[in-house]
Protein backbone atom coordinates (compact mmCIF):
# COMPACT_ATOMS: atom_id res chain seq x y z
CA UNK A 1 0.00 0.00 0.00
CA UNK A 2 1.32 3.45 -0.90
CA UNK A 3 0.35 7.11 -0.65
CA UNK A 4 -1.05 7.35 -4.19
CA UNK A 5 -3.45 4.44 -3.68
CA UNK A 6 -4.79 6.04 -0.50
CA UNK A 7 -5.18 9.49 -2.06
CA UNK A 8 -6.90 8.06 -5.14
CA UNK A 9 -9.56 6.44 -2.96
CA UNK A 10 -9.94 9.68 -1.00
CA UNK A 11 -10.33 11.77 -4.16
CA UNK A 12 -12.88 9.32 -5.52
CA UNK A 13 -15.30 9.29 -2.58
CA UNK A 14 -14.80 13.01 -1.89
CA UNK A 15 -17.17 13.51 -4.82
CA UNK A 16 -19.93 12.18 -2.53
CA UNK A 17 -21.81 14.04 0.22
CA UNK A 18 -20.45 12.67 3.53
CA UNK A 19 -21.95 15.22 5.92
CA UNK A 20 -23.01 13.72 9.25
CA UNK A 21 -26.51 12.24 9.06
CA UNK A 22 -26.24 12.17 5.23
CA UNK A 23 -24.23 8.96 4.82
CA UNK A 24 -26.54 6.96 2.51
CA UNK A 25 -24.54 7.58 -0.67
CA UNK A 26 -21.13 6.91 0.84
CA UNK A 27 -22.53 3.68 2.33
CA UNK A 28 -23.74 2.74 -1.18
CA UNK A 29 -20.25 3.50 -2.50
CA UNK A 30 -18.63 1.23 0.09
CA UNK A 31 -21.04 -1.61 -0.66
CA UNK A 32 -20.15 -1.36 -4.36
CA UNK A 33 -16.44 -1.21 -3.50
CA UNK A 34 -16.75 -4.46 -1.52
CA UNK A 35 -18.77 -6.15 -4.28
CA UNK A 36 -16.31 -5.10 -6.99
CA UNK A 37 -13.43 -6.56 -4.96
CA UNK A 38 -15.22 -9.80 -3.99
CA UNK A 39 -15.23 -8.89 -0.28
CA UNK A 40 -17.89 -9.87 2.23
CA UNK A 41 -19.98 -6.82 3.16
CA UNK A 42 -22.79 -6.11 5.63
CA UNK A 43 -24.82 -2.94 6.19
CA UNK A 44 -27.23 -2.10 9.02
CA UNK A 45 -30.13 0.34 9.30
CA UNK A 46 -27.76 3.01 10.67
CA UNK A 47 -25.69 2.74 7.43
CA UNK A 48 -22.73 1.27 9.30
CA UNK A 49 -20.61 -0.87 6.97
CA UNK A 50 -18.68 -4.06 7.77
CA UNK A 51 -16.26 -5.46 5.16
CA UNK A 52 -14.15 -8.60 5.60
CA UNK A 53 -11.10 -9.80 3.72
CA UNK A 54 -10.29 -13.43 4.43
CA UNK A 55 -6.92 -14.41 5.81
CA UNK A 56 -4.19 -15.58 3.49
CA UNK A 57 -4.09 -19.37 3.71
CA UNK A 58 -0.60 -19.35 5.25
CA UNK A 59 -1.69 -16.91 8.01
CA UNK A 60 -4.89 -18.48 9.32
CA UNK A 61 -3.27 -19.03 12.72
CA UNK A 62 -2.58 -15.29 13.13
CA UNK A 63 -5.02 -13.09 15.08
CA UNK A 64 -7.29 -11.02 12.87
CA UNK A 65 -6.89 -7.25 12.49
CA UNK A 66 -9.83 -4.82 12.73
CA UNK A 67 -9.50 -1.46 10.99
CA UNK A 68 -11.92 1.24 12.10
CA UNK A 69 -12.85 4.63 10.66
CA UNK A 70 -15.96 6.76 10.37
CA UNK A 71 -17.42 7.75 7.01
CA UNK A 72 -19.01 11.08 8.01
CA UNK A 73 -17.34 14.49 8.09
CA UNK A 74 -18.01 17.93 9.54
CA UNK A 75 -19.30 20.03 6.65
CA UNK A 76 -18.50 23.74 6.91
CA UNK A 77 -18.00 26.36 4.20
CA UNK A 78 -17.05 30.02 3.84
CA UNK A 79 -20.23 30.67 1.89
CA UNK A 80 -23.40 28.80 1.02
CA UNK A 81 -22.35 25.47 -0.50
CA UNK A 82 -24.17 22.35 -1.67
CA UNK A 83 -22.18 19.37 -0.40
CA UNK A 84 -24.12 17.12 -2.77
CA UNK A 85 -21.58 18.42 -5.31
CA UNK A 86 -18.76 16.87 -3.30
CA UNK A 87 -15.52 18.46 -2.14
CA UNK A 88 -13.30 20.40 -4.54
CA UNK A 89 -9.79 19.29 -3.58
CA UNK A 90 -6.66 21.41 -4.03
CA UNK A 91 -3.04 20.22 -3.64
CA UNK A 92 -0.38 22.86 -3.08
CA UNK A 93 2.94 23.27 -1.24
CA UNK A 94 2.83 19.77 0.23
CA UNK A 95 -0.73 20.03 1.55
CA UNK A 96 -4.14 18.86 0.46
CA UNK A 97 -7.09 21.11 1.30
CA UNK A 98 -10.51 22.00 -0.09
CA UNK A 99 -11.80 25.03 -1.96
CA UNK A 100 -13.73 27.12 0.61
CA UNK A 101 -14.99 24.08 2.54
CA UNK A 102 -13.73 21.61 5.10
CA UNK A 103 -11.65 18.82 3.55
CA UNK A 104 -13.05 15.79 5.36
CA UNK A 105 -9.63 14.21 5.85
CA UNK A 106 -11.09 13.60 9.29
CA UNK A 107 -11.88 10.75 8.81
CA UNK A 108 -11.77 10.26 5.06
CA UNK A 109 -8.05 9.48 5.09
CA UNK A 110 -8.59 6.75 7.68
CA UNK A 111 -11.34 5.30 5.50
CA UNK A 112 -9.10 5.43 2.40
CA UNK A 113 -6.29 3.65 4.28
CA UNK A 114 -8.71 0.90 5.31
CA UNK A 115 -9.87 0.51 1.68
CA UNK A 116 -6.27 0.36 0.44
CA UNK A 117 -5.50 -2.33 3.00
CA UNK A 118 -8.51 -4.41 1.97
CA UNK A 119 -7.30 -4.39 -1.67
CA UNK A 120 -3.58 -4.71 -0.91
CA UNK A 121 -1.48 -7.41 -2.66
CA UNK A 122 0.35 -8.12 0.60
CA UNK A 123 -0.26 -11.36 2.46
CA UNK A 124 -2.30 -10.51 5.54
CA UNK A 125 -4.29 -12.26 8.25
CA UNK A 126 -8.04 -11.69 8.31
CA UNK A 127 -8.90 -7.99 7.94
CA UNK A 128 -12.23 -6.63 9.14
CA UNK A 129 -13.08 -3.02 8.29
CA UNK A 130 -15.61 -1.28 10.52
CA UNK A 131 -16.89 2.00 9.04
CA UNK A 132 -19.32 3.93 11.22
CA UNK A 133 -21.73 6.83 10.79
CA UNK A 134 -22.42 10.04 12.74
CA UNK A 135 -19.18 10.02 14.72
CA UNK A 136 -18.91 13.78 14.47
CA UNK A 137 -22.39 14.28 15.95
CA UNK A 138 -23.19 11.68 18.58
CA UNK A 139 -21.29 8.44 17.83
CA UNK A 140 -24.68 6.84 17.21
CA UNK A 141 -23.26 4.64 14.45
CA UNK A 142 -20.70 3.06 16.76
CA UNK A 143 -23.15 2.92 19.66
CA UNK A 144 -25.58 0.88 17.53
CA UNK A 145 -23.02 -1.30 15.71
CA UNK A 146 -23.66 -4.96 16.53
CA UNK A 147 -22.03 -7.12 13.84
CA UNK A 148 -19.84 -9.97 15.11
CA UNK A 149 -16.12 -9.20 15.16
CA UNK A 150 -13.60 -12.01 15.39
CA UNK A 151 -10.36 -10.03 15.14
CA UNK A 152 -8.11 -9.26 18.12
CA UNK A 153 -6.11 -6.17 17.16
CA UNK A 154 -8.26 -3.05 16.72
CA UNK A 155 -6.65 -0.12 14.87
CA UNK A 156 -8.66 3.09 14.87
CA UNK A 157 -7.29 5.38 12.11
CA UNK A 158 -8.77 8.63 13.40
CA UNK A 159 -5.92 10.47 15.10
CA UNK A 160 -4.44 13.69 13.72
CA UNK A 161 -0.74 13.62 14.61
CA UNK A 162 1.64 11.08 13.04
CA UNK A 163 3.91 11.24 16.10
CA UNK A 164 1.20 10.24 18.60
CA UNK A 165 0.03 6.79 19.61
CA UNK A 166 -3.31 7.13 21.40
CA UNK A 167 -3.93 4.34 23.93
CA UNK A 168 -6.86 5.70 25.92
CA UNK A 169 -9.55 8.36 25.88
CA UNK A 170 -12.17 9.75 28.17
CA UNK A 171 -15.77 8.72 28.34
CA UNK A 172 -18.36 11.33 28.98
CA UNK A 173 -21.94 12.44 29.09
CA UNK A 174 -23.96 15.60 29.22
CA UNK A 175 -25.81 16.25 32.46
CA UNK A 176 -28.86 18.48 32.26
CA UNK A 177 -30.05 20.49 35.25
CA UNK A 178 -33.41 22.26 35.23
CA UNK A 179 -34.60 24.85 37.73
CA UNK A 180 -38.13 26.30 37.63
CA UNK A 181 -38.72 30.03 37.25
CA UNK A 182 -40.70 31.44 40.19
CA UNK A 183 -41.29 35.17 39.99
CA UNK A 184 -41.45 37.92 42.62
CA UNK A 185 -44.72 39.85 42.90
CA UNK A 186 -43.18 43.03 44.35
CA UNK A 187 -42.19 45.92 42.11
CA UNK A 188 -38.42 46.44 41.77
CA UNK A 189 -36.18 49.26 40.58
CA UNK A 190 -32.93 49.66 38.62
CA UNK A 191 -32.76 46.99 35.94
CA UNK A 192 -29.46 46.20 34.21
CA UNK A 193 -28.05 43.87 31.59
CA UNK A 194 -24.52 42.65 32.29
CA UNK A 195 -22.66 40.99 29.40
CA UNK A 196 -19.34 39.16 29.48
CA UNK A 197 -16.99 40.14 26.65
CA UNK A 198 -13.42 39.37 25.59
CA UNK A 199 -12.93 35.72 26.58
CA UNK A 200 -11.26 33.31 24.16
CA UNK A 201 -12.84 30.02 25.21
CA UNK A 202 -11.55 26.65 24.02
CA UNK A 203 -12.34 22.96 23.56
CA UNK A 204 -13.78 21.51 26.73
CA UNK A 205 -11.70 18.36 26.39
CA UNK A 206 -8.33 19.25 24.93
CA UNK A 207 -8.07 22.74 26.53
CA UNK A 208 -9.88 22.32 29.83
CA UNK A 209 -6.59 22.51 31.75
CA UNK A 210 -5.38 25.78 30.17
CA UNK A 211 -7.11 28.13 32.66
CA UNK A 212 -9.56 29.52 30.11
CA UNK A 213 -12.11 31.55 32.03
CA UNK A 214 -15.73 30.39 31.91
CA UNK A 215 -18.18 33.24 31.18
CA UNK A 216 -20.90 31.66 33.34
CA UNK A 217 -18.61 31.41 36.34
CA UNK A 218 -17.34 34.97 35.77
CA UNK A 219 -20.85 36.46 35.94
CA UNK A 220 -21.89 34.72 39.12
CA UNK A 221 -18.55 35.38 40.81
CA UNK A 222 -19.09 39.09 40.10
CA UNK A 223 -22.60 38.92 41.58
CA UNK A 224 -21.03 38.01 44.92
CA UNK A 225 -19.76 41.60 45.14
CA UNK A 226 -23.31 43.06 44.99
CA UNK A 227 -25.21 43.96 48.14
CA UNK A 228 -28.48 42.51 46.88
CA UNK A 229 -30.05 41.51 43.56
CA UNK A 230 -32.86 39.64 41.83
CA UNK A 231 -32.17 37.66 38.65
CA UNK A 232 -34.61 38.40 35.85
CA UNK A 233 -33.07 36.38 33.01
CA UNK A 234 -29.82 34.63 32.11
CA UNK A 235 -28.36 32.87 29.08
CA UNK A 236 -24.84 31.76 28.19
CA UNK A 237 -22.79 29.40 26.03
CA UNK A 238 -23.53 27.80 22.68
CA UNK A 239 -21.90 24.34 22.44
CA UNK A 240 -21.51 21.63 25.05
CA UNK A 241 -17.92 20.92 24.00
CA UNK A 242 -16.82 24.57 24.18
CA UNK A 243 -15.83 26.57 27.25
CA UNK A 244 -18.39 29.41 27.15
CA UNK A 245 -17.16 32.84 26.12
CA UNK A 246 -20.49 34.68 26.25
CA UNK A 247 -22.97 35.27 29.06
CA UNK A 248 -25.76 37.77 29.52
CA UNK A 249 -27.69 38.38 32.73
CA UNK A 250 -30.55 40.77 33.42
CA UNK A 251 -31.06 41.68 37.05
CA UNK A 252 -32.60 44.19 39.40
CA UNK A 253 -30.66 45.84 42.21
CA UNK A 254 -30.78 49.02 44.26
CA UNK A 255 -27.22 49.84 43.22
CA UNK A 256 -26.51 52.54 40.63
CA UNK A 257 -24.85 51.87 37.31
CA UNK A 258 -21.82 53.86 38.50
CA UNK A 259 -21.52 51.56 41.51
CA UNK A 260 -21.75 48.48 39.29
CA UNK A 261 -19.11 49.79 36.88
CA UNK A 262 -16.74 50.56 39.74
CA UNK A 263 -17.24 47.10 41.24
CA UNK A 264 -16.71 45.45 37.86
CA UNK A 265 -13.37 47.21 37.42
CA UNK A 266 -12.27 46.13 40.89
CA UNK A 267 -13.48 42.58 40.21
CA UNK A 268 -11.64 42.20 36.89
CA UNK A 269 -8.43 43.62 38.36
CA UNK A 270 -8.37 40.72 40.81
CA UNK A 271 -9.15 37.92 38.33
CA UNK A 272 -6.18 35.69 37.46
CA UNK A 273 -6.15 35.94 33.66
CA UNK A 274 -3.92 34.27 31.09
CA UNK A 275 -2.80 36.42 28.16
CA UNK A 276 -5.53 35.03 25.88
CA UNK A 277 -8.23 36.29 28.29
CA UNK A 278 -6.72 39.72 29.01
CA UNK A 279 -9.55 41.46 27.13
CA UNK A 280 -12.16 40.33 29.67
CA UNK A 281 -14.69 43.06 30.46
CA UNK A 282 -18.21 43.38 31.80
CA UNK A 283 -20.53 45.58 29.76
CA UNK A 284 -23.27 47.04 31.98
CA UNK A 285 -26.36 48.71 30.47
CA UNK A 286 -29.68 50.08 31.73
CA UNK A 287 -32.72 48.11 30.53
CA UNK A 288 -36.47 48.51 30.89
CA UNK A 289 -38.28 47.00 33.93
CA UNK A 290 -39.30 43.34 33.68
CA UNK A 291 -40.36 40.49 35.94
CA UNK A 292 -37.67 38.81 38.03
CA UNK A 293 -37.21 35.61 39.97
CA UNK A 294 -38.21 35.67 43.60
CA UNK A 295 -35.53 35.82 46.28
CA UNK A 296 -35.54 32.09 47.01
CA UNK A 297 -35.19 31.12 43.33
CA UNK A 298 -32.50 33.77 42.79
CA UNK A 299 -30.51 32.37 45.71
CA UNK A 300 -30.97 28.76 44.57
CA UNK A 301 -29.91 29.61 41.01
CA UNK A 302 -26.86 31.58 42.17
CA UNK A 303 -25.90 28.97 44.75
CA UNK A 304 -26.19 26.13 42.25
CA UNK A 305 -24.02 27.85 39.62
CA UNK A 306 -21.49 28.70 42.31
CA UNK A 307 -21.20 25.09 43.50
CA UNK A 308 -21.15 23.30 40.14
CA UNK A 309 -17.67 22.27 39.03
CA UNK A 310 -16.14 23.70 35.88
CA UNK A 311 -12.59 22.74 34.94
CA UNK A 312 -10.17 19.98 35.84
CA UNK A 313 -11.22 17.76 38.73
CA UNK A 314 -8.37 15.22 38.69
CA UNK A 315 -5.27 14.16 36.77
CA UNK A 316 -4.22 10.60 35.94
CA UNK A 317 -1.98 9.21 38.68
CA UNK A 318 1.57 8.95 37.34
CA UNK A 319 0.74 11.19 34.36
CA UNK A 320 0.57 14.57 36.07
CA UNK A 321 -0.08 16.51 32.87
CA UNK A 322 -2.89 14.27 31.60
CA UNK A 323 -6.39 15.23 32.70
CA UNK A 324 -8.42 12.33 34.08
CA UNK A 325 -11.74 13.95 35.02
CA UNK A 326 -13.27 17.31 34.14
CA UNK A 327 -16.54 19.17 33.96
CA UNK A 328 -17.48 21.99 31.61
CA UNK A 329 -20.34 24.24 32.75
CA UNK A 330 -21.24 24.78 29.13
CA UNK A 331 -24.67 26.27 28.47
CA UNK A 332 -27.54 27.99 30.25
CA UNK A 333 -30.75 28.27 28.23
CA UNK A 334 -33.65 30.45 29.32
CA UNK A 335 -36.86 28.59 28.52
CA UNK A 336 -40.46 29.71 29.07
CA UNK A 337 -40.85 28.33 32.59
CA UNK A 338 -37.38 27.18 33.61
CA UNK A 339 -33.64 27.52 33.15
CA UNK A 340 -31.78 24.65 31.50
CA UNK A 341 -28.14 24.14 32.53
CA UNK A 342 -26.00 21.79 30.41
CA UNK A 343 -22.73 20.36 31.75
CA UNK A 344 -20.31 18.29 29.68
CA UNK A 345 -18.53 15.75 31.89
CA UNK A 346 -15.52 13.65 30.92
CA UNK A 347 -13.32 11.05 32.57
CA UNK A 348 -10.95 8.25 31.57
CA UNK A 349 -12.11 6.46 34.74
CA UNK A 350 -15.69 5.20 34.58
CA UNK A 351 -16.21 5.20 38.36
CA UNK A 352 -15.13 8.83 38.60
CA UNK A 353 -17.46 9.76 35.76
CA UNK A 354 -20.35 8.21 37.68
CA UNK A 355 -19.23 9.97 40.88
CA UNK A 356 -19.21 13.30 39.05
CA UNK A 357 -22.74 12.73 37.81
CA UNK A 358 -23.89 11.89 41.33
CA UNK A 359 -22.22 15.05 42.66
CA UNK A 360 -24.16 17.18 40.15
CA UNK A 361 -27.42 15.45 41.07
CA UNK A 362 -26.75 16.09 44.77
CA UNK A 363 -26.04 19.78 44.21
CA UNK A 364 -29.12 20.15 42.03
CA UNK A 365 -31.32 18.57 44.70
CA UNK A 366 -29.83 20.88 47.33
CA UNK A 367 -30.91 23.93 45.32
CA UNK A 368 -34.40 22.72 44.39
CA UNK A 369 -33.41 21.73 40.83
CA UNK A 370 -33.62 18.49 38.86
CA UNK A 371 -30.69 16.74 37.12
CA UNK A 372 -30.65 13.99 34.50
CA UNK A 373 -28.04 12.69 32.07
CA UNK A 374 -27.94 11.87 28.35
CA UNK A 375 -25.59 11.31 25.37
CA UNK A 376 -23.30 8.95 27.30
CA UNK A 377 -20.24 7.57 25.54
CA UNK A 378 -17.92 5.06 27.27
CA UNK A 379 -14.40 5.41 28.58
CA UNK A 380 -11.49 3.77 26.79
CA UNK A 381 -9.25 2.89 29.71
CA UNK A 382 -5.48 2.63 29.26
CA UNK A 383 -4.20 -0.97 29.15
CA UNK A 384 -0.58 -1.06 30.20
CA UNK A 385 -0.35 -4.72 29.01
CA UNK A 386 -1.52 -3.97 25.46
CA UNK A 387 0.37 -6.12 22.93
CA UNK A 388 -0.75 -3.90 20.06
CA UNK A 389 0.63 -0.80 21.78
CA UNK A 390 4.04 -2.44 22.14
CA UNK A 391 4.07 -3.57 18.50
CA UNK A 392 3.15 -0.06 17.31
CA UNK A 393 5.86 1.50 19.48
CA UNK A 394 8.49 -0.81 17.97
CA UNK A 395 7.23 -0.25 14.43
CA UNK A 396 7.33 3.53 14.85
CA UNK A 397 10.88 3.46 16.27
CA UNK A 398 12.06 1.22 13.44
CA UNK A 399 10.85 3.46 10.60
CA UNK A 400 11.36 6.87 12.25
CA UNK A 401 14.44 6.30 14.40
CA UNK A 402 12.70 7.96 17.37
CA UNK A 403 10.09 7.07 19.94
CA UNK A 404 6.39 7.71 19.44
CA UNK A 405 4.53 9.89 21.94
CA UNK A 406 2.18 7.54 23.80
CA UNK A 407 -0.89 9.44 25.03
CA UNK A 408 -4.21 9.14 26.79
CA UNK A 409 -6.39 11.99 25.53
CA UNK A 410 -9.15 13.89 27.31
CA UNK A 411 -11.61 13.57 24.44
CA UNK A 412 -13.90 10.82 23.20
CA UNK A 413 -12.94 8.25 20.58
CA UNK A 414 -14.97 5.41 19.12
CA UNK A 415 -12.42 2.99 20.60
CA UNK A 416 -14.21 3.43 23.91
CA UNK A 417 -17.50 2.27 22.40
CA UNK A 418 -15.95 -0.79 20.76
CA UNK A 419 -13.79 -1.69 23.76
CA UNK A 420 -16.96 -1.81 25.86
CA UNK A 421 -18.87 -3.90 23.28
CA UNK A 422 -16.06 -6.31 22.38
CA UNK A 423 -14.15 -7.07 25.57
CA UNK A 424 -11.31 -9.08 24.00
CA UNK A 425 -10.06 -6.54 21.46
CA UNK A 426 -6.75 -4.70 21.90
CA UNK A 427 -7.01 -1.06 20.73
CA UNK A 428 -4.82 1.79 19.51
CA UNK A 429 -5.62 4.98 17.58
CA UNK A 430 -3.21 6.43 14.99
CA UNK A 431 -3.24 8.69 11.94
CA UNK A 432 -1.28 11.12 9.76
CA UNK A 433 -0.90 14.79 10.63
CA UNK A 434 -3.64 17.21 9.68
CA UNK A 435 -4.41 20.73 10.81
CA UNK A 436 -7.48 22.87 11.59
CA UNK A 437 -9.94 20.01 11.18
CA UNK A 438 -13.64 20.90 11.17
CA UNK A 439 -12.84 24.28 9.56
CA UNK A 440 -12.40 25.61 6.02
CA UNK A 441 -8.66 25.73 6.75
CA UNK A 442 -8.47 21.96 7.26
CA UNK A 443 -5.44 20.51 5.49
CA UNK A 444 -3.60 17.22 5.25
CA UNK A 445 0.20 17.09 5.35
CA UNK A 446 0.97 14.84 2.36
CA UNK A 447 4.55 14.06 3.43
CA UNK A 448 3.20 13.11 6.85
CA UNK A 449 0.77 10.71 5.16
CA UNK A 450 3.70 9.10 3.33
CA UNK A 451 5.63 8.66 6.60
CA UNK A 452 2.54 7.41 8.38
CA UNK A 453 1.91 4.74 5.75
CA UNK A 454 5.43 3.38 6.27
CA UNK A 455 4.77 3.15 10.01
CA UNK A 456 1.33 1.62 9.43
CA UNK A 457 2.70 -0.96 6.97
CA UNK A 458 5.45 -1.91 9.42
CA UNK A 459 2.87 -2.36 12.16
CA UNK A 460 0.89 -4.74 9.92
CA UNK A 461 4.11 -6.58 9.01
CA UNK A 462 4.97 -7.11 12.67
CA UNK A 463 1.47 -8.35 13.45
CA UNK A 464 1.66 -10.70 10.47
CA UNK A 465 5.17 -12.05 11.01
Amino acid sequence: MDKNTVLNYFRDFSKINRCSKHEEEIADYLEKFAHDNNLECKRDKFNNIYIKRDSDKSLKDKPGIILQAHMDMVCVSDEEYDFDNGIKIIEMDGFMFADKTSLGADNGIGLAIAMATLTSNHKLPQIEAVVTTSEEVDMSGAMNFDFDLSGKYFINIDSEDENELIVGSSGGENVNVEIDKNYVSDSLSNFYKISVKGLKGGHSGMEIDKNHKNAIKVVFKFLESLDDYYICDFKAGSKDNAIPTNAEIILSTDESIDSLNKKSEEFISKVDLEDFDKDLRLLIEDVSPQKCLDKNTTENFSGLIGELNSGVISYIEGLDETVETSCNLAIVNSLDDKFEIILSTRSSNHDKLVALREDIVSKANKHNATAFDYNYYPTWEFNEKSELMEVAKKAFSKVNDKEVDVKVIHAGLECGVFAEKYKKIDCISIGPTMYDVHTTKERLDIESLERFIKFYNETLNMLTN
Side-chain angles (χ1 to χ4, degrees):
M1 182 182 67
D2 59 22
K3 172 192 71 176
N4 291 331
T5 303
V6 172
L7 291 179
N8 284 338
Y9 278 125
F10 180 70
R11 293 186 191 99
D12 192 29
F13 63 66
S14 290
K15 301 170 186 174
I16 300 170
N17 185 342
R18 294 190 293 118
C19 301
S20 298
K21 301 297 183 182
H22 296 275
E23 299 103 341
E24 295 85 358
E25 288 189 35
I26 183 65
D28 291 343
Y29 170 91
L30 290 170
E31 279 191 312
K32 184 177 186 303
F33 159 80
H35 180 268
D36 291 346
N37 288 281
N38 298 312
L39 300 168
E40 179 184 340
C41 182
K42 298 177 184 178
R43 178 175 179 174
D44 64 21
K45 65 180 181 180
F46 301 96
N47 288 314
N48 292 313
I49 294 289
Y50 167 91
I51 302 174
K52 184 173 78 170
R53 165 179 161 163
D54 290 332
S55 169
D56 186 271
K57 292 180 179 179
S58 64
L59 298 172
K60 287 190 178 294
D61 61 329
K62 295 290 184 181
I65 299 169
I66 304 165
L67 306 177
Q68 196 263 316
H70 61 87
M71 65 181 80
D72 65 313
M73 63 173 280
V74 172
C75 292
V76 293
S77 58
D78 286 337
E79 54 194 45
E80 188 172 339
Y81 185 82
D82 185 357
F83 283 89
D84 284 339
N85 295 324
I87 303 299
K88 296 178 175 62
I89 293 176
I90 300 171
E91 295 179 45
M92 186 184 302
D93 299 328
F95 289 94
M96 176 179 280
F97 52 96
D99 183 17
K100 299 178 182 177
T101 72
S102 46
L103 175 64
D106 173 17
N107 187 223
I109 288 298
L111 173 56
I113 289 170
M115 293 171 67
T117 308
L118 288 165
T119 54
S120 167
N121 292 326
H122 290 238
K123 290 184 178 181
L124 293 168
Q126 176 184 279
I127 302 293
E128 295 171 285
V130 172
V131 190
T132 55
T133 55
S134 298
E135 190 272 350
E136 300 290 4
V137 179
D138 53 17
M139 293 196 191
S140 58
M143 296 291 280
N144 288 287
F145 186 94
D146 65 355
F147 294 126
D148 291 334
L149 297 178
S150 58
K152 176 181 179 181
Y153 299 120
F154 186 98
I155 303 176
N156 167 281
I157 319 172
D158 192 19
S159 288
E160 297 159 10
D161 187 330
E162 64 171 306
N163 296 304
E164 292 183 351
L165 172 63
I166 308 302
V167 294
S169 64
S170 67
E173 64 186 354
N174 286 351
V175 181
N176 247 29
V177 179
E178 295 179 349
I179 185 166
D180 291 336
K181 292 179 177 178
N182 299 301
Y183 294 103
V184 64
S185 57
D186 301 335
S187 59
L188 302 171
S189 60
N190 297 348
F191 292 83
Y192 305 104
K193 179 170 73 174
I194 303 175
S195 307
V196 177
K197 304 288 185 181
L199 294 179
K200 180 183 179 182
H203 189 277
S204 65
M206 306 306 290
E207 297 178 289
I208 198 70
D209 60 339
K210 302 297 190 294
N211 197 31
H212 292 265
K213 292 304 176 188
N214 181 310
I216 299 171
K217 284 291 190 178
V218 167
V219 168
F220 280 86
K221 192 65 179 177
F222 170 66
L223 294 185
E224 293 177 11
S225 67
L226 305 189
D227 295 331
D228 194 24
Y229 62 89
Y230 292 82
I231 295 173
C232 307
D233 205 5
F234 183 75
K235 57 184 178 181
S238 58
K239 296 181 179 180
D240 58 28
N241 65 353
I243 300 167
T245 61
N246 61 292
E248 183 180 290
I249 191 166
I250 297 176
L251 55 79
S252 177
T253 176
D254 289 335
E255 298 195 38
S256 67
I257 194 167
D258 290 339
S259 173
L260 292 180
N261 280 319
K262 181 178 180 181
K263 286 185 175 181
S264 73
E265 291 174 5
E266 293 174 353
F267 168 75
I268 291 174
S269 70
K270 296 176 182 177
V271 179
D272 178 23
L273 297 172
E274 303 293 343
D275 286 343
F276 45 71
D277 281 336
K278 290 292 187 183
D279 292 330
L280 170 64
R281 67 187 189 280
L282 299 178
L283 177 63
I284 303 173
E285 307 169 81
D286 287 299
V287 294
S288 60
Q290 49 196 280
K291 60 183 181 179
C292 296
L293 305 179
D294 62 28
K295 196 61 182 172
N296 185 55
T297 308
T298 292
E299 290 176 351
N300 274 326
F301 192 21
S302 299
L304 177 59
I305 295 293
E307 290 187 27
L308 289 172
N309 286 304
S310 190
V312 176
I313 295 171
S314 65
Y315 291 86
I316 296 177
E317 187 174 351
L319 297 172
D320 293 340
E321 296 183 357
T322 302
V323 178
E324 178 183 57
T325 306
S326 74
C327 181
N328 180 42
L329 179 54
I331 300 171
V332 178
N333 291 319
S334 180
L335 308 180
D336 288 342
D337 59 351
K338 61 191 173 186
F339 289 104
E340 176 189 52
I341 304 167
I342 300 175
L343 301 102
S344 174
T345 65
R346 302 173 188 262
S347 183
S348 51
N349 181 298
H350 178 72
D351 290 342
K352 291 188 177 182
L353 185 65
V354 173
L356 178 54
R357 178 203 309 158
E358 292 174 347
D359 178 69
I360 295 170
V361 171
S362 175
K363 289 171 178 174
N365 291 339
K366 175 182 174 182
H367 292 284
N368 200 30
T370 303
F372 55 93
D373 55 279
Y374 67 107
N375 285 352
Y376 166 79
Y377 57 91
T379 296
W380 172 24
E381 294 197 24
F382 169 60
N383 175 17
E384 63 181 359
K385 297 180 180 179
S386 166
E387 296 175 16
L388 182 54
M389 174 181 69
E390 294 302 325
V391 169
K393 286 164 64 176
K394 291 176 183 176
F396 187 91
S397 296
K398 181 175 179 180
V399 300
N400 292 290
D401 198 27
K402 63 179 181 180
E403 292 187 358
V404 69
D405 185 10
V406 180
K407 297 183 71 173
V408 175
I409 62 170
H410 198 59
L413 284 173
E414 289 175 300
C415 293
V417 178
F418 286 98
E420 185 176 78
K421 286 176 179 283
Y422 305 93
K423 304 296 185 183
K424 295 182 180 180
I425 61 173
D426 187 356
C427 302
I428 61 171
S429 179
I430 52 178
T433 298
M434 53 192 79
Y435 302 93
D436 296 320
V437 298
H438 303 178
T439 77
T440 58
K441 296 180 180 179
E442 180 183 0
R443 58 201 185 279
L444 170 72
D445 185 328
I446 297 175
E447 289 186 3
S448 170
L449 174 63
E450 195 161 14
R451 291 189 296 268
F452 172 79
I453 289 172
K454 290 178 182 178
F455 156 55
Y456 172 81
N457 283 337
E458 183 60 32
T459 301
L460 295 186
N461 288 338
M462 288 186 173
L463 292 174
T464 299
N465 299 317

